[in-house]
Amino acid sequence: MVKVDLSGALGFLDSAGPDYGAASLAHKALADGIWAGAEFTGWRQLPRRVQGEELKKIQTAAERIRDTSQVLVVVGIGGSYLGARAGIELIRPKNGPEVIFAGNGLSPDDLNDKIERLGDRDFSVNVVSKSGTTLEPAVAFRVFRGLLEKKYGAAAKKRIYATTDAARGVLKTIADDEGYETFVVPDDVGGRYSVLSAVGLLPLAAAGCDIQTLVGAAAEAMYDLDQRSAENPAWQYAAARNALYARGKTIELLASYEPSFRYMAEWWKQLFGESEGKNGVGIYPASVEYNADLHSMGQYIQEGPRTLMETVVSFERPLRDYEVPFSMGDADGLNYLAGRGLGEISRVAMEAVKAAHVAGGVPNIGISVPRRDEDGFAELVCFFETACAISGYMLGVNPFDQPGVEAYKKNMFRMLGKPGA
């Protein structure tokens, strides 16, 4: 299970420490559905709801994709793709097709690069959109649907999987008219909380992840995270970051020493940024990748403005360790490390960085999970979702809406000349 270490943050707080009373009230409001956004808290039951026939349907479609395709193109933006990409990048499954993510931008160079990367290989498309009207994925779906139809003719529709609303919307209408296999984006789950639905599970399963194990671990994690006490790691994280925010730490850096964590950080940034950044308040979510960023951003973190807090995600055991080899003559002076695993060396580096940053005025919150696998991914997703909801309520905002996201869309459609805009 996820563990939270506040030893690097408590020195920046008064003797009372984090406000677990406020965390308790926020958790009760979340569980009882009595505060704003309660209609979008279905994510808490997703791991249990998806088990059974829906999970079997996802697994069957994933097997078909693996059997018929060398590439799966996942078309989506924001919560429609970040969770799946985070899981695939973190777990790194090895027995599935390559997954290309499209529809998350409007760059012609990027689109052409993805088409060239696809080449002449057999492929399928999973288009993920609640409505089907979001411009970026809608354009990409038109392009890749056209490529499918050109390559496979009438059989193309058997290679398109639409994850969308259960009953309405442009994409649902297209899917029904064309006969695409469909999966449901639940009405009571917002996009950034949807990774444990078909939105994330179909791409994860197609890529070769064990979603049966993943969903089982998520169900256990959600049960554990419903604990109503200061021992709950979601309370510890939410309360600590809010206490630090009240003391002027307005920017949170999410860090990890695993390069495969990069898209987990991107998912986390959307989760917390879209949930908390409203009504003129909110901790700004940013991310860094250690050790690399210690040699680029390290100076700023150590001695720049003291508005930073740092949350470091670590994995207790590597999937595979590697020992530093012995070298005759010791020309590079590294024989003092010979025979020691990189996992141990990385842990020492992490403790050294923590000590330096805390001494330099940057509070440090540690988050650890046992391994970088399906269990670890599921536990992190459930932990961050629960902590985000509690933290948002503690801030006094609705953590399940995103009214500001529509502002650019209205301008863009009007400036592009969309009818009715």
Side-chain angles (χ1 to χ4, degrees):
M1 184 56 190
V2 171
K3 297 176 184 175
V4 173
D5 176 10
L6 298 181
S7 62
L10 294 177
F12 295 85
L13 305 177
D14 58 35
S15 58
D19 187 353
Y20 292 125
S24 176
L25 288 175
H27 195 161
K28 185 178 189 308
L30 173 67
D32 294 347
I34 56 176
W35 285 359
E39 67 273 24
F40 292 108
T41 57
W43 51 271
R44 301 180 70 237
Q45 291 79 39
L46 266 182
R48 292 194 299 273
R49 278 173 25 186
V50 77
Q51 295 186 52
E53 290 306 312
E54 185 175 4
L55 196 64
K56 289 178 184 177
K57 181 183 177 185
I58 292 170
Q59 290 172 317
T60 299
E63 289 172 8
R64 191 182 316 123
I65 292 168
R66 289 199 301 271
D67 289 343
T68 62
S69 302
Q70 297 164 286
V71 179
L72 173 64
V73 179
V74 177
V75 176
I77 194 168
S80 294
Y81 94 100
L82 276 173
R85 186 162 192 178
I88 291 168
E89 294 279 345
L90 188 73
I91 298 167
R92 298 287 174 91
K94 295 179 173 61
N95 62 340
E98 179 183 0
V99 181
I100 294 176
F101 292 92
N104 46 67
L106 293 169
S107 164
D109 289 337
D110 183 62
L111 179 62
N112 279 299
D113 287 345
K114 285 170 180 171
I115 293 170
E116 289 177 6
R117 185 170 147 199
L118 176 62
D120 195 39
R121 292 182 289 175
D122 286 317
F123 73 105
S124 296
V125 170
N126 175 209
V127 55
V128 186
S129 177
K130 181 75 169 172
S131 65
T133 59
T134 303
L135 185 63
E136 297 91 340
V139 169
F141 180 49
R142 175 179 282 203
V143 170
F144 284 99
R145 181 180 61 185
L147 293 174
L148 274 175
E149 291 168 349
K150 182 178 179 181
K151 186 177 180 70
Y152 299 106
K157 63 181 64 178
K158 298 298 182 183
R159 291 176 172 269
I160 297 176
Y161 303 82
T163 307
T164 188
D165 191 89
R168 57 190 180 276
V170 171
L171 181 55
K172 173 62 174 172
T173 299
I174 293 173
D176 288 346
D177 290 347
E178 297 294 332
Y180 305 153
E181 184 167 3
T182 59
F183 297 86
V184 174
V185 180
D187 284 337
D188 58 356
V189 178
R192 59 190 178 274
Y193 290 87
S194 67
V195 61
L196 296 176
S197 71
V199 170
L201 293 177
L202 179 56
L204 284 162
C209 297
D210 180 354
I211 62 169
Q212 187 81 49
T213 294
L214 195 158
V215 168
E220 290 183 19
M222 284 298 189
Y223 177 82
D224 292 339
L225 289 163
D226 201 37
Q227 175 187 183
R228 311 298 171 86
S229 81
E231 299 302 311
N232 187 330
W235 284 29
Q236 294 167 359
Y237 177 50
R241 64 195 299 276
N242 273 276
L244 292 168
Y245 177 59
R247 287 157 180 78
K249 303 301 182 181
T250 58
I251 301 170
E252 182 176 8
L253 299 177
L254 186 72
S256 179
Y257 290 76
E258 286 291 341
S260 61
F261 191 80
R262 180 177 298 176
Y263 273 91
M264 225 24 230
E266 294 300 313
W267 171 79
W268 172 88
K269 284 193 285 190
Q270 185 196 4
L271 179 68
F272 279 86
E274 205 166 67
S275 296
E276 293 189 332
K278 56 198 70 164
N279 302 339
V281 301
I283 300 166
Y284 183 83
S287 62
V288 286
E289 182 182 311
Y290 292 157
N291 288 60
D293 282 339
L294 293 172
H295 297 262
S296 57
M297 294 293 290
Q299 174 61 41
Y300 186 96
I301 297 168
Q302 189 69 43
E303 296 184 345
R306 301 297 75 188
T307 54
L308 303 176
M309 68 177 92
E310 178 180 54
T311 297
V312 180
V313 177
S314 62
F315 299 90
E316 295 168 8
R317 301 185 304 278
L319 296 178
R320 296 175 297 168
D321 210 341
Y322 197 96
E323 290 186 357
V324 176
F326 176 84
S327 177
M328 293 296 294
D330 196 22
D332 54 12
L334 291 177
N335 273 354
Y336 76 100
L337 295 175
R340 297 169 73 175
L342 280 179
E344 175 200 349
I345 296 169
S346 181
R347 283 192 295 275
V348 172
M350 182 173 68
E351 289 302 316
V353 171
K354 174 182 175 179
H357 288 182
V358 169
V362 179
N364 180 286
I365 300 172
I367 295 172
S368 65
V369 291
R371 285 163 62 88
R372 189 177 58 83
D373 54 13
E374 282 86 350
D375 290 306
F377 173 70
E379 290 172 9
L380 279 171
V381 166
C382 295
F383 165 76
F384 278 130
E385 288 180 344
T386 303
C388 183
I390 292 171
S391 181
Y393 278 151
M394 290 178 71
L395 272 173
V397 300
N398 176 356
F400 306 113
D401 68 352
Q402 54 282 335
V405 174
E406 299 304 313
Y408 95 89
K409 294 181 182 179
K410 292 176 182 177
N411 288 341
M412 179 175 64
F413 285 133
R414 175 178 54 78
M415 294 166 74
L416 286 171
K418 180 179 179 179

